[in-house]
Amino acid sequence: MAARSLAAFGVVLAVCLALTAATNPGFVVRITQAGLDYAHQHGITVLQKELAKLKLPDISGDFPVRHLGKVRYEISSLNLRSFHLPYSRISLVPNVGLQVAISNAFAEVDGNWRVKFHFIRDHGSFNLEVKNVYIKIDLKLGSDASGKPTVSTSACSTRISSVDVHFSGKFGWLYNLFYGVVESRFKKILESKVCDSVVRSVSGDLQHYLQTLPVTAKIDAKAGIDYSLVAPPMATAQTLDVDLKGEFFSLAHRGAVPFPPPVLALPPDHDRMVYFGASSYFFNTAGFAYHAAGALVFEITDSMIPKDVEFHLNTSTFAAFIPQLDKMYPNMLMKLRLSAPSAPFLSITPGGISLQPVVDIQAYAILPNTSLAHLFLLSLTGNVSATIDVKSGHIVGKLSVGRMKLSLKQSDVGTFQVRMLQSIMNIYASSILLPRVNERLAEGFPLPLPDRIQLSNILVQFHQNFLLLGADVHYTPRERR
């Protein structure tokens, strides 16, 4: 009884540990059947070119003829003139990967022949037509230690229904003696060579291309994004989902993120070739990373005040609200240092993206010797909303600020009415700080895209805890020299 209880406890513990170790993605890439079909078109074009490069070996042998002896034949200088793949399809195999089925393929081969039968010798050329070639390819998808996607050929089979050989020469009856042997050997050789070429093309061209997917992307001098796979790609009946870490990190010091990613379940949309699901975790790790890197600090000086603003950043302007400034620091320039005491945290709902950042505003007087004198410390809170778009493969954004509220945290110039500063701080925030932030957001953050991919027909939707981006794909092949 004790042994059974211990075993049951072990099972429960193992399940709990497995659930604890499971990692929700911060970012999901979903490829629909339309996206797979588009990729398949380009893949078949590459495979067709590779098959056309097949090198076929010479064929020779002896063929016994009853009561007459042996016919010695040689087939050489084989030239595969073309290999066409007119009909093919790619399909999803749930929990396994992908399957490519090619039907009615055909090829043409030219070459030379030579035959010896007793005292008869002849030679010439021939043309061989390979018809009704069927190829089935199973692709297994995975990920390597660095979090990059991998692909391999788990199975390949080729079946050739018909091989027609046309010989040129004098002795037609002689060719018929070894016609069947040549046909059979050609079938076996081609069936083997085709799958060898498929394996090389998948492990070479396709695998190399998948390795161009960036698992880390440097954004600027402060931060980067981790797009490594947290699990192998998962095929369902309708889509191929790729779960990515989707986490910003500080380049100076990468620490553990103090909050987990939420469950990310994309809706069953199929109008676009590819969808990107970016959870609130993805965006909130950006704030965490930039805060950890000390990048959420901004200084405003008088030289930055727009020309159309009537007042300057000096003690004379603020003396209208804080009279004691005229006595303590008469007619001196000021500096405002804005910083976030904690990383900003946003929320995503069907209504959009919103956040309520808290900003500390430390005001200084710039003394004649250029040193700084502390004046007061304010806390600013506000309602901020964001609009999102995709441009040139980057997520771009723009912030809009709603109502802001000030409170006094500390003063070195005595007490004063903070609400009197509300309007002036609103102007500084909207005319100086916000444009600088939006300028950076307009540069955007790169999406996880392999080489030579462009997006079009962009769709942007907001859902609970995640942003959904949909797009069609255009691939530009590399020019071969």
Side-chain angles (χ1 to χ4, degrees), residues 188 322 393:
K188 291 181 180 179
I322 312 172

Side-chain angles (χ1 to χ4, degrees), residues 3 47-48 67 84 130 152 156 160 224 233 244 323 370 382 406 421 435 440 457 464-465 468-469:
L47 180 59
Q48 183 169 276
H67 305 309
H84 300 280
V130 185
S152 60
C156 177
I160 299 173
L244 310 179
T370 70
L406 284 177
L421 298 178
R440 173 61 189 89
N457 198 18
Q464 192 64 40
N465 291 327
L468 182 69
L469 305 172

Side-chain angles (χ1 to χ4, degrees), residues 49 54 152 176 225 244 261 283 295 357 394 434:
K49 292 178 179 179
L54 284 178
S152 60
N176 293 329
I225 306 178
L244 310 179
F283 294 102
H394 286 64
L434 192 61

Side-chain angles (χ1 to χ4, degrees), residues 190-263:
L190 277 175
E191 287 173 350
S192 173
K193 289 287 185 179
V194 165
C195 277
D196 288 345
S197 181
V198 167
V199 171
R200 285 195 304 271
S201 186
V202 170
S203 62
D205 295 331
L206 184 54
Q207 173 64 14
H208 176 73
Y209 182 70
L210 288 183
Q211 290 288 299
T212 67
L213 183 75
V215 295
T216 57
K218 183 180 178 182
I219 303 170
D220 48 35
K222 299 290 186 180
I225 306 178
D226 186 342
Y227 279 131
S228 58
L229 274 69
V230 297
M234 176 61 67
T236 68
Q238 294 180 310
T239 62
L240 180 66
D241 288 354
V242 186
D243 291 350
L244 310 179
K245 195 173 187 67
E247 181 179 296
F248 285 72
F249 59 91
S250 168
L251 296 179
H253 174 69
R254 185 168 185 176
V257 178
F259 47 87
V263 175

Side-chain angles (χ1 to χ4, degrees), residues 4-188:
R4 289 183 181 178
S5 298
L6 183 61
F9 174 76
V11 171
V12 172
L13 180 61
V15 171
C16 290
L17 289 174
L19 292 174
T20 303
T23 303
N24 288 327
F27 200 100
V28 172
V29 178
R30 168 168 289 177
I31 305 173
T32 64
Q33 184 65 53
L36 289 173
D37 290 340
Y38 180 80
H40 169 247
Q41 293 174 11
H42 289 279
I44 287 296
T45 300
V46 172
L47 180 59
Q48 183 169 276
K49 292 178 179 179
E50 291 301 313
L51 290 175
K53 298 177 185 177
L54 284 178
K55 301 298 182 182
L56 302 177
D58 294 348
I59 299 174
S60 62
D62 296 318
F63 182 73
V65 180
R66 190 174 182 181
H67 305 309
L68 295 178
K70 292 182 179 180
V71 177
R72 177 69 182 175
Y73 65 89
E74 295 179 5
I75 305 294
S76 61
S77 302
L78 299 178
N79 174 40
L80 184 61
R81 285 197 294 139
S82 62
F83 208 123
H84 300 280
L85 309 176
Y87 304 106
S88 62
R89 61 182 175 85
I90 188 169
S91 55
L92 290 149
V93 183
N95 303 317
V96 176
L98 303 171
Q99 185 177 90
V100 179
I102 300 170
S103 59
N104 296 327
F106 59 94
E108 291 181 293
V109 180
D110 290 334
N112 298 324
W113 62 269
R114 185 178 298 274
V115 69
K116 177 182 178 183
F117 180 59
H118 294 305
F119 60 88
I120 300 175
R121 288 176 173 81
D122 198 6
H123 67 278
S125 61
F126 73 91
N127 174 261
L128 181 145
E129 295 181 353
V130 185
K131 301 177 182 178
N132 298 327
V133 182
Y134 298 88
I135 307 169
K136 187 174 74 172
I137 307 161
D138 291 338
L139 300 177
K140 181 180 179 181
L141 304 173
S143 58
D144 61 19
S146 68
K148 286 181 176 288
T150 61
V151 62
S152 60
T153 307
S154 58
C156 177
S157 62
T158 303
R159 180 170 57 87
I160 299 173
S161 296
S162 173
V163 174
D164 294 332
V165 187
H166 304 283
F167 293 98
S168 63
K170 302 176 184 177
F171 305 101
W173 62 272
L174 189 59
Y175 318 142
N176 293 329
L177 295 177
F178 62 92
Y179 176 90
V181 177
V182 171
E183 179 185 274
S184 177
R185 293 193 65 178
F186 260 119
K187 279 186 179 181
K188 291 181 180 179

Side-chain angles (χ1 to χ4, degrees), residues 248-471:
F248 285 72
F249 59 91
S250 168
L251 296 179
H253 174 69
R254 185 168 185 176
V257 178
F259 47 87
V263 175
L264 185 53
L266 303 190
D269 294 353
H270 299 94
D271 292 339
R272 303 295 196 275
M273 294 182 183
V274 64
Y275 289 90
F276 304 95
S279 76
S280 55
Y281 175 86
F282 173 77
F283 294 102
N284 285 325
T285 59
F288 179 77
Y290 279 103
H291 184 265
L296 301 184
V297 177
F298 188 77
E299 292 185 345
I300 299 177
T301 60
D302 185 66
S303 61
M304 300 166 64
I305 305 298
K307 294 181 180 180
D308 57 348
V309 175
E310 297 180 357
F311 46 81
H312 291 277
L313 183 53
N314 54 38
T315 55
S316 297
T317 297
F318 277 78
F321 313 105
I322 312 172
Q324 51 268 44
L325 279 180
D326 258 346
K327 297 179 181 179
M328 300 175 65
Y329 304 101
N331 198 28
M332 292 184 184
L333 291 174
M334 291 174 57
K335 175 189 287 188
L336 301 178
R337 185 177 186 272
L338 286 70
S339 61
S342 61
F345 201 83
L346 61 78
S347 60
I348 304 177
T349 67
I353 295 179
S354 62
L355 61 156
Q356 294 180 319
V358 178
V359 179
D360 282 348
I361 304 175
Q362 176 65 60
Y364 302 95
I366 303 177
L367 303 179
N369 62 359
T370 70
S371 61
L372 302 176
H374 286 74
L375 299 180
F376 51 84
L377 176 63
L378 301 174
S379 177
L380 181 148
T381 60
N383 295 317
V384 178
S385 60
T387 57
I388 299 292
D389 200 355
V390 175
K391 294 182 179 179
S392 301
H394 286 64
I395 300 177
V396 298
K398 184 178 181 180
L399 299 183
S400 300
V401 177
R403 184 179 179 183
M404 292 184 289
K405 182 180 179 181
L406 284 177
S407 61
L408 181 64
K409 296 181 71 174
Q410 182 184 344
S411 175
D412 294 287
V413 291
T415 60
F416 58 90
Q417 292 292 325
V418 175
R419 62 182 180 83
M420 303 296 291
L421 298 178
Q422 186 77 51
S423 60
I424 193 172
M425 289 301 176
N426 286 351
I427 293 174
Y428 287 150
S430 60
S431 64
I432 301 176
L433 177 61
L434 192 61
R436 298 296 177 92
V437 174
N438 283 334
E439 182 179 0
R440 173 61 189 89
L441 292 178
E443 297 175 9
F445 308 113
L447 289 167
L449 298 173
D451 284 349
R452 306 186 299 282
I453 289 291
Q454 293 179 325
L455 303 178
S456 62
N457 198 18
I458 305 297
L459 167 76
V460 179
Q461 290 182 351
F462 298 101
H463 297 264
Q464 192 64 40
N465 291 327
F466 72 92
L467 169 71
L468 182 69
L469 305 172

